[in-house]
Amino acid sequence: MGAPIAKGPLTRRAVVLLLVAAVVLGAATLHRLVFADLQGPTFEFSGDAMGTRFVVKLVAPSLTRGEYAELAAAIVERIETVNDALSTWDPDSEISRFNAHESTSAVPASGAFRTVLKAARAVGEESGGAFDITVRPLVQAWGFGDGARAPGGPTPEELAALRERVGHDRVRVGINSVAKRRGDVVVDVSAIAKGFGVDEVSRELVSRGHPRHLVEIGGELQARGQRADDTPWRVAIEEPDSEGRAVHRLLSISDTGMATSGDYRAWYEEDGVRISHTIDPRSGLPVRHGLASVTVLHPETMYADAWATALSVLGPEEGHRLASSRGLAAYFIIRAEDGTFRTSWTPAFESLAGAAVDLEP
Ligand code: ADP
Ligand code: MG
């Protein structure tokens, strides 16, 4: 038995009052949305980037709507600049035009393109040719990328011809230009570009006065400063199986890049053998050792990314030896014959991430 409900049509006066109330309330809500500060201290931005997703977590006491929108636009613009330079999927990108240009004459090149080519060259040399951005013809011949696979893979004759076009020294980087050593060389920076993109976004945030952040593009990341509660960022090394996204190990890290390369995302099986999308440029063959994944920590995500790929070519033994001798922080997950996993890591990894983490499985 509540208050009696008025029956019949509302009076004109009531209708007008209701309309006015609705407009006032609506305007007030809109005002709150547009002008109120966003609740900190951690802000998140995410979207599509470089054929995958990006996530940025940013620690700031507060941001206004305007500042938030401005930062989001700056992040997207940085990612687009990297894409315009390095995307092999975009036929108009700088790298695609360079690949299509079948001559050995020097062409003007952006800072982004030259930076990535120089870093790729350095890791190529230091890894004895295990990292090689000219490997694409071989990757395609084995049926990865956009290549169609002949059953059994390329013949030895085809391989020999393709390998003429492959080598980490096949591209020269000048002060403002780049040049191929053979007109038919093509470059594919997908094993290093995401790391570079992460560093670019991170630099953008620092330059805008936001040094505490986590930037991630498709699993490669940069953790700068500390979280809102003044503890290091917590990131996961995934369990290397194709199904789930289970956590293998949690790391506490600050001021470092991190990248993982693994055979568990892109591979196919032939005659019971896993054919991995990582090709050993030295032999022209897909890698076949039992390395399931390798995670590298490096101040620059670009180098973490390239080294993760290089070490995944070299494998658990050779890779571990080289990483240890170069003082690289690397963590290996190795697939045993019986399907179980064993792990190993370098001394530099232990000093960077080991202290805060229980390394026992
Ligand atoms: P993901 O792209 O899965 O993060 P990587 O960073 O290891 O993994 O990059 C793999 C890609 O790198 C391959 O799809 C291929 O285009 C390219 N690639 C394959 N082998 C090599 C190599 N030896 N050196 C450099 N790039 C390679
Ligand atoms: Mg890589």
Side-chain angles (χ1 to χ4, degrees):
M1 267 162 281
I5 297 166
K7 294 233 171 71
L10 293 171
T11 62
R12 262 177 84 97
R13 197 176 130 84
V15 170
V16 169
L17 276 177
L18 273 176
L19 278 175
V20 169
V23 169
V24 168
L25 271 176
T29 314
L30 200 67
H31 181 271
R32 264 206 305 282
L33 276 179
V34 176
F35 298 105
D37 286 357
L38 289 171
Q39 291 295 311
T42 306
F43 298 88
E44 210 171 297
F45 304 81
S46 61
D48 295 325
M50 311 176 83
T52 170
R53 301 280 298 165
F54 79 86
V55 180
V56 172
K57 290 184 182 170
L58 181 78
V59 180
S62 69
L63 289 179
T64 63
R65 276 273 150 192
E67 286 164 341
Y68 183 85
E70 210 175 291
L71 268 177
I75 291 167
V76 168
E77 198 183 312
R78 268 290 170 130
I79 290 170
E80 274 170 7
T81 307
V82 174
N83 257 329
D84 290 348
L86 304 177
S87 166
T88 43
W89 301 108
D90 174 0
D92 295 324
S93 69
E94 184 175 8
I95 194 170
S96 296
R97 283 183 281 120
F98 179 66
N99 283 339
H101 159 87
E102 291 188 0
S103 133
T104 53
S105 57
V107 293
S110 69
F113 195 31
R114 283 182 297 112
T115 299
V116 167
L117 289 183
K118 269 196 267 186
R121 174 75 181 263
V123 177
E125 272 164 20
E126 289 169 27
S127 65
F131 187 79
D132 187 344
I133 54 167
T134 66
V135 79
R136 192 181 183 95
L138 294 171
V139 173
Q140 285 173 327
W142 285 101
F144 296 100
D146 42 15
R149 178 170 58 106
T155 66
E157 294 72 37
E158 284 164 344
L159 268 187
L162 290 172
R163 291 182 65 188
E164 287 297 306
R165 301 166 58 194
V166 173
H168 65 274
D169 55 356
R170 297 287 199 273
V171 177
R172 276 184 298 125
V173 183
I175 297 176
N176 286 309
S177 64
V178 294
K180 302 178 180 185
R181 291 199 192 277
R182 285 171 57 110
D184 59 0
V185 165
V186 292
V187 292
D188 170 8
V189 292
S190 44
I192 185 172
K194 274 183 283 169
F196 175 74
V198 166
D199 291 335
E200 284 286 282
V201 171
S202 175
R203 283 188 281 263
E204 179 74 32
L205 294 172
V206 170
S207 78
R208 286 170 176 270
H210 295 292
R212 296 173 70 174
H213 55 252
L214 184 83
V215 177
E216 190 219 310
I217 303 181
E220 329 297 23
L221 59 90
Q222 175 71 226
R224 284 192 70 103
Q226 303 208 307
R227 296 188 296 186
D229 63 0
D230 297 325
T231 61
W233 296 96
R234 302 273 279 166
V235 299
I237 296 179
E238 278 178 23
E239 201 66 72
D241 73 50
S242 331
E243 309 293 318
R245 290 284 168 98
V247 172
H248 168 79
R249 190 88 65 200
L250 275 177
L251 306 183
S252 297
I253 52 172
S254 282
D255 297 322
T256 183
M258 170 173 143
T260 300
S261 193
D263 79 347
Y264 57 100
R265 291 271 177 72
W267 57 279
Y268 57 81
E269 208 167 83
E270 202 165 82
D271 303 329
V273 178
R274 280 169 91 99
I275 311 282
S276 148
H277 78 151
T278 305
I279 308 296
D280 188 339
R282 301 167 304 172
S283 64
L285 307 175
V287 298
R288 289 196 179 199
H289 47 62
L291 187 60
S293 93
V294 54
T295 296
V296 174
L297 301 174
H298 190 285
E300 284 186 66
T301 319
M302 171 173 74
Y303 282 104
D305 196 0
W307 272 111
T309 302
L311 296 180
S312 75
V313 170
L314 292 169
E317 274 83 38
E318 210 186 336
H320 193 284
R321 266 200 306 279
L322 183 68
S324 299
S325 75
R326 302 205 67 88
L328 279 172
Y331 184 91
F332 300 82
I333 306 180
I334 302 129
R335 195 186 305 279
E337 296 272 301
D338 62 1
T340 59
F341 294 112
R342 102 189 141 73
T343 56
S344 73
W345 54 89
T346 62
F349 182 88
E350 183 145 0
S351 51
L352 264 177
V357 137
D358 175 20
L359 282 171
E360 290 308 311

